[in-house]
Amino acid sequence: MERNEIEKKLEKIFKTVFNNDSIVLTNELTANDVDGWDSLSHMLLISEVEQEFSIRFKLNDLNKMRNVGDMINIITSKLQ
Amino acid sequence: MPEYKIREANINDIDFIVKAIIEAEKSGSEIFSYSKIFNLKEEELNQIFHQMLLEEIEGCEFSISSYLVAEINNKIAGTIGAWIENKENPSTIIRGNLLSYFLPKSSLLFASQQAKIISELNIDHVIDALTFAIVYISPEHRGNHLFELLANEHIKRNKGVKELSIQLMANNVYAIKSYERYGFKKELEMKSDNLKLLEILPYNEKILMKKQLK
């Protein structure tokens, strides 16, 4: 799957989880930039991403993610 | 006054720390929010919290490294779990990662139905503050200034910290008074009139308290 295709799918998940159609994903986007990105919504986000891409993150993968760019990199590496 | 020894927690203390997390979450009520949010029994969550703490990941209440314990005659009398809230690696995300990894998918699905209502009481953590998340003193040791002893030691071990913060439910009057005696002041109150919240959380009002350090 191409990176921009991953981004598109991810943006759709973000808009649903955070109930906000105006979210635009950038590599630098973090929890500090999105209203309502708390523990619970983070868990739902991770769960939706795993389901959409049919992957399972390791705990180590999750702890390395500092922004959306990291998330895309890890998804990409899992899909290869 | 008994002579308590304050030390860092280690994995042998996990039973006490899990109890502390559960009791602190209940805030003196019978409602254990994690049970309600994730549709799991207290015993099941007890096991999951054990597994999370064994990972020894730093920066939230499910981190052994966050805890100092007060000990007397080789028994733990109380604990405070605290960390410096970091903007780059927020505790909400560290906690969310651990929960999403260890909880069953069915619980995540169940929680998604509760997410909106719970967010009504959400108060952001204070960046760079020493954040006291879990405070628990065994009933037989209350009144012995253990909060003060443990809090002072946390401050001593986090040199340069300028601010303390704590969030708790507004019904926890006894705790609020003891934090005020220590110098905390109410900074923010978040209340919801949604009565359904009282079926999930111990109370429908949350408080942020802060203390500035010299």
Side-chain angles (χ1 to χ4, degrees), chain B:
Chain B
M1 176 70 69
E3 276 293 318
Y4 293 98
K5 179 187 156 197
I6 309 291
R7 62 165 175 82
E8 285 171 18
N10 61 55
I11 52 170
N12 299 317
D13 305 320
I14 287 183
D15 282 348
F16 189 90
I17 288 169
V18 169
K19 184 181 167 61
I21 295 170
I22 292 174
E23 293 303 321
E25 281 295 330
K26 285 182 180 171
S27 185
S29 77
E30 285 304 309
I31 293 191
F32 179 37
S33 57
Y34 278 90
S35 225
K36 303 284 181 188
I37 295 168
F38 297 113
N39 197 27
L40 289 170
K41 294 193 179 83
E42 189 174 316
E43 301 76 47
E44 293 171 305
L45 284 156
N46 189 310
Q47 290 301 315
I48 291 169
F49 290 177
H50 263 82
Q51 291 172 328
M52 286 161 62
L53 283 155
L54 280 170
E55 291 292 332
E56 299 193 56
I57 286 163
E58 294 186 4
C60 75
E61 69 271 38
F62 297 111
S63 315
I64 281 283
S65 57
S66 298
Y67 289 85
L68 291 177
V69 295
E71 201 176 47
I72 191 159
N73 302 327
N74 294 320
K75 274 191 80 177
I76 304 178
T79 186
I80 294 183
W83 62 84
I84 306 271
E85 185 65 26
N86 182 335
K87 190 178 179 193
E88 309 305 322
N89 196 16
S91 60
T92 48
I93 301 303
I94 300 170
R95 181 185 310 112
N97 283 338
L98 280 162
L99 288 166
S100 70
Y101 187 77
F102 282 104
L103 287 170
K105 286 279 174 205
S106 55
S107 287
L108 298 182
L109 200 64
F110 188 83
S112 65
Q113 298 156 17
Q114 332 269 346
K116 196 164 179 286
I117 179 170
I118 294 162
S119 68
E120 288 181 24
L121 285 194
N122 190 47
I123 300 178
D124 286 340
H125 282 299
V126 181
I127 302 298
D128 293 334
L130 179 58
T131 304
F132 288 10
I134 302 294
V135 177
Y136 178 72
I137 313 294
S138 291
E140 64 271 32
H141 295 282
R142 289 178 193 161
N144 290 350
H145 303 283
L146 276 184
F147 174 77
E148 199 180 327
L149 281 176
L150 286 159
N152 287 347
E153 189 63 27
H154 266 296
I155 294 165
K156 205 169 124 191
R157 286 168 188 245
N158 284 285
K159 285 203 166 49
V161 69
K162 294 188 174 67
E163 197 173 35
L164 309 180
S165 85
I166 195 161
Q167 292 188 20
L168 74 166
M169 291 299 176
N171 64 328
N172 205 339
V173 180
Y174 179 83
I176 292 169
K177 279 197 177 134
S178 68
Y179 301 154
E180 280 174 342
R181 271 199 299 276
Y182 190 73
F184 277 94
K185 290 191 173 71
K186 282 183 195 171
E187 182 88 9
L188 183 68
E189 294 172 350
M190 195 71 96
K191 191 175 179 182
S192 165
D193 292 325
N194 192 337
L195 292 178
K196 200 161 181 296
L197 204 68
L198 288 170
E199 294 168 18
I200 305 171
L201 299 179
Y203 203 58
N204 61 340
E205 187 176 354
K206 205 177 187 184
I207 302 178
L208 169 70
M209 300 181 84
K210 280 191 194 176
K211 176 183 164 140
Q212 305 301 322
L213 300 174
K214 280 166 196 152

Side-chain angles (χ1 to χ4, degrees), chain A residues 31-48:
Chain A
N32 298 316
D33 308 313
V34 179
D35 270 350
W37 193 338
D38 56 14
S39 296
L40 201 49
S41 54
H42 183 68
M43 292 167 47
L44 303 177
L45 175 70
I46 296 298
S47 174
E48 290 291 322

